[in-house]
Amino acid sequence: MSLLIILLFTALFEYVYYDTLTIDHNTKSHSEDIDDHVLSIPGIGVFFYPWYGRWRHWNASGYDPPYTWSSHYIPDIIEEAFIPEIELYDSSDEKIILWQLYMMRKAHVSYAIVSWWGPNSYEDKVFDKLMNISTSPLSPHPKLKWCILYELEGYGDPDLNHIVSDLKYIIKRYGSRENYLKINGKPVAFVYADPEDGPEYARKWFSAKTLLENSLYIVLKVFPRYENYANLSDSWYQYAPSNEARYELQPPYSGFVSPGFWRIDEENPILDRNIDLFKENLIKLLNSNVGIKTIQTWNEWHEGTQVEPGQVVDTSTIPYKPLQSYGDKFIEIMRQCIPNPYSYDPEIEVNIHSIYNNSCNMTIMGRGFPSETTLFINIDNKVNVGNVSTDRNGEFTYTINYEFEDQGLHIVIVGINGSIAIYPICIKESLITSSKSLALAVEESSELFILIILVITSLVIIYYLSNQKLGKRL
């Protein structure tokens, strides 16, 4: 009885506490002045890392993908599955990019700050692809804006000419694109910095901006007493996802929240993942009066700061083994708390019934779409595999037979322009998996296992009782 009372009081406290955490949507958060010359960027941004390949970055520090890799986590693309050879993704893969765009739309992210390492670098080529795909007809998030995080300053000391040359490249190649992030018409560039950087680095970047006739909006990383040099940059930000508070403001310029921090070279997390604290801090950030609000990060898997769907792995074994999945819990918290930049929040789910020689019979269920509207159905880049109409509630159910050309990762795409949802599935060794079908298979396997145990137990009891009766007769 005492345990029941404790549970009731705990539930009541959580209800009262979280019910008082509300978002003030009247807080200055868009294109108005926060403090004199400091301007805000609409919505919430995320730090995004495009440096993964097959097996680029996953094999950092001598790891051996797909058996071991440079993270305590693995992306959870195929929900409730564990397929390292597919889920350790390539950032340049179009299917992965479309999935990430959908996840960022689902999380109500407005802009992405992308790790950038110079003209024609791997990251630059992926950046170009990200921007192109995000405005393509199949993009689930055409409103998403992009800008660079200039990393070279944090891992070297590029001179003024080098910086000016790189920034000219950014302006010429990306600056005029509609989906490049701008403030007052100026392309935005965030600048990473070495912990030892100080006033001289700020003066160097002020000189670069001056030589470019103030054609860029520069956001520098803070350093001790940066406030004394505030006029050397358009705005300032802090990058510190390992901060114990999981939340930090640099008023009136910026603020951030962190979901956790567990770098691959650390045995235990510096900051464990706490969904309740993440929600609490995100609401505080949304209600704060700063111009730039970010989440650190979307997908920095090496440091374990990602909100992208994932699961923990056991790194003490070779190969790594799956542990607990946090799935899209952080995405859902963002979805609940951050205002939606769209009128609709479409979702689809795929239930696979059978597979024979790569021919698949599956049912697609959708919700959150415009009502009584005809939607296209695509598989990967195959256009108009089918069409389906939503009901008055914006929902539908559609069964389709489709023959896949190859095994591996595939994506189901359903929607109309501006309201598109994506669902990943996987064909591997003549077995097709999706989160729905995999969960069903696990459930059925568990039920079968329990049935077998019950049958065996019953037979043992019958055998035992029969022997006892026989003994008594003798």
Side-chain angles (χ1 to χ4, degrees), residues 77 139 154 210:
I77 300 172
S139 171
T210 302

Side-chain angles (χ1 to χ4, degrees), residues 81 214 402 421-422 428:
N214 292 315
Y402 185 79
I422 286 176
K428 180 189 175 188

Side-chain angles (χ1 to χ4, degrees), residues 14-282:
E14 289 182 352
Y15 173 79
V16 172
Y17 178 69
Y18 286 112
D19 193 52
T20 61
L21 291 175
T22 57
I23 304 168
D24 179 9
H25 293 304
N26 293 318
T27 300
K28 293 180 180 180
S29 61
H30 294 284
S31 298
E32 52 189 314
D33 291 346
I34 295 293
D35 180 26
D36 296 328
H37 69 286
V38 180
L39 298 177
S40 67
I41 301 176
I44 289 282
V46 293
F47 284 79
F48 186 96
Y49 294 84
W51 53 30
Y52 304 102
R54 191 170 179 90
W55 302 102
R56 194 178 191 274
H57 262 263
W58 300 113
N59 63 1
S61 303
Y63 288 91
D64 184 27
Y67 309 105
T68 65
W69 53 90
S70 185
S71 179
H72 287 288
Y73 303 88
I74 183 172
D76 201 3
I77 300 172
I78 309 298
E79 187 182 350
E80 299 181 22
F82 180 70
I83 315 173
E85 57 269 33
I86 289 174
E87 294 182 299
L88 296 173
Y89 60 68
D90 181 340
S91 294
S92 67
D93 186 327
E94 183 175 353
K95 293 190 287 289
I96 293 297
I97 292 173
L98 286 168
W99 172 72
Q100 289 177 317
L101 286 169
Y102 176 63
M103 286 292 110
M104 283 192 276
R105 175 190 174 130
K106 192 174 178 181
H108 298 169
V109 171
S110 292
Y111 61 97
I113 306 156
V114 182
S115 176
W116 189 81
W117 293 79
N120 300 312
S121 63
Y122 180 87
E123 293 80 5
D124 180 46
K125 292 172 183 176
V126 175
F127 184 63
D128 184 55
K129 198 167 187 178
L130 289 166
M131 293 193 71
N132 289 334
I133 292 175
S134 69
T135 55
S136 69
L138 293 181
S139 171
H141 199 353
K143 291 184 179 181
L144 186 68
K145 305 297 183 184
W146 303 87
C147 72
I148 68 157
L149 171 63
Y150 190 91
E151 296 269 23
L152 300 177
E153 184 67 67
Y155 297 91
D157 187 21
D159 61 28
L160 181 60
N161 291 334
H162 188 161
I163 291 171
V164 169
S165 175
D166 285 348
L167 295 181
K168 284 181 177 178
Y169 174 87
I170 291 295
I171 293 170
K172 182 177 180 181
R173 183 159 188 178
Y174 304 114
S176 62
R177 299 192 191 185
E178 186 178 344
N179 61 335
Y180 193 96
L181 180 65
K182 300 178 183 70
I183 294 182
N184 278 357
K186 297 179 180 181
V188 177
F190 283 70
V191 182
Y192 195 61
D194 185 276
E196 302 301 318
D197 281 330
E200 288 305 313
Y201 122 88
R203 292 190 183 100
K204 180 173 62 173
W205 278 87
F206 179 79
S207 296
K209 191 177 72 158
T210 302
L211 288 172
L212 293 168
E213 300 178 343
N214 292 315
S215 56
L216 283 156
Y217 191 93
I218 300 296
V219 186
L220 294 183
K221 186 176 181 293
V222 301
F223 52 84
R225 295 181 295 279
Y226 77 94
E227 300 93 336
N228 298 332
Y229 308 91
N231 64 326
L232 295 178
S233 182
D234 293 304
S235 193
W236 298 84
Y237 80 101
Q238 175 63 295
Y239 186 92
S242 61
N243 186 318
E244 289 184 10
R246 305 167 186 264
Y247 165 83
E248 186 176 324
L249 297 180
Q250 301 290 333
Y253 304 104
S254 63
F256 74 87
V257 294
S258 165
F261 189 95
W262 192 6
R263 205 166 54 194
I264 183 57
D265 58 356
E266 298 285 349
E267 185 176 350
N268 298 305
I270 302 299
L271 294 177
D272 63 338
R273 290 183 163 258
N274 187 312
I275 196 72
D276 295 328
L277 283 176
F278 179 76
K279 181 177 182 178
E280 178 184 340
N281 289 331
L282 179 57

Side-chain angles (χ1 to χ4, degrees), residues 281-322:
N281 289 331
L282 179 57
I283 291 172
K284 286 195 295 184
L285 179 64
L286 289 166
N287 286 334
S288 69
N289 197 28
V290 295
I292 299 171
K293 301 172 183 179
T294 64
I295 291 170
Q296 297 178 3
T297 63
W298 181 261
N299 64 336
E300 218 293 12
W301 291 93
H302 304 306
E303 295 184 344
T305 59
Q306 72 286 340
V307 294
E308 193 169 61
Q311 67 181 124
V312 185
V313 295
D314 182 358
T315 59
S316 67
T317 65
I318 299 177
Y320 289 173
K321 294 180 180 178

Side-chain angles (χ1 to χ4, degrees), residues 438-455:
L438 183 67
L440 187 61
V442 170
E443 183 180 345
E444 290 174 349
S445 297
S446 300
E447 291 176 355
L448 180 61
F449 178 75
I450 292 170
L451 180 61
I452 291 170
I453 293 297
L454 288 172
V455 169

